[in-house]
Amino acid sequence: MKKNIIIAAAFLGLMTACEKSTSKTETIENPDGSKTTITTTETTSGIVDSSDVNKTRNDINNKIDKATSEIDTKADAAKQKIDATAEKTKKDLNEAGKDIKEAAAKGAGKIEESAKKLKEDLNK
């Protein structure tokens, strides 16, 4: 427990020691001739600025979204190319199958004719 309190005190001391303040003084002349001085003090912590973290996070998210979109686009294009190639291959295989069937039928017809001639020759 004491250790946690000491660590918390040290962290708080570090946080306050790392604060940076900037003062800006403006002098404005009023229409009646009097002058008004405005002093603006801006205090920032030197450790982490949440606006920088949020900006960086938004930049990273935008880059991730852009990369995801590009990946999706390229994947869709690749899928379309694969589908087109598969369709062409299917047509080519169907044509080749028809050609093979025709060649087999012609070959079978020739074999039957040769077998008939051979049978006739053997019968003589």
Side-chain angles (χ1 to χ4, degrees):
M1 179 81 173
K2 289 180 185 179
K3 195 184 247 186
N4 290 339
I5 293 172
I6 293 171
I7 291 173
F11 185 70
L12 183 61
L14 180 64
M15 291 285 290
T16 56
C18 292
E19 285 184 353
K20 182 166 71 171
S21 63
T22 306
S23 296
K24 183 177 178 183
T25 305
E26 291 183 48
T27 303
I28 300 172
E29 188 172 338
N30 296 323
D32 64 353
S34 63
K35 294 184 178 182
T36 305
T37 303
I38 300 173
T39 303
T40 307
T41 303
E42 182 179 316
T43 304
T44 58
S45 173
I47 295 177
V48 176
D49 188 2
S50 63
S51 65
D52 288 341
V53 170
N54 289 336
K55 182 181 179 221
T56 303
R57 185 179 343 147
N58 288 337
D59 289 345
I60 289 170
N61 285 339
N62 289 340
K63 288 179 182 179
I64 289 172
D65 290 343
K66 183 179 177 184
T68 302
S69 176
E70 288 177 6
I71 289 170
D72 289 344
T73 301
K74 290 182 181 184
D76 287 341
K79 182 184 180 298
Q80 289 174 357
K81 286 181 181 178
I82 289 169
D83 288 346
T85 303
E87 189 64 33
K88 184 179 181 305
T89 303
K90 182 180 174 182
K91 286 180 184 178
D92 290 347
L93 287 174
N94 282 336
E95 288 179 23
K98 288 177 185 177
D99 291 344
I100 290 170
K101 283 180 184 179
E102 287 177 14
K106 285 181 184 177
K110 288 183 180 181
I111 291 173
E112 286 179 13
E113 285 178 23
S114 298
K116 283 181 185 179
K117 284 183 184 179
L118 181 62
K119 188 177 182 181
E120 287 175 6
D121 288 344
L122 290 176
N123 287 334
K124 289 185 187 179

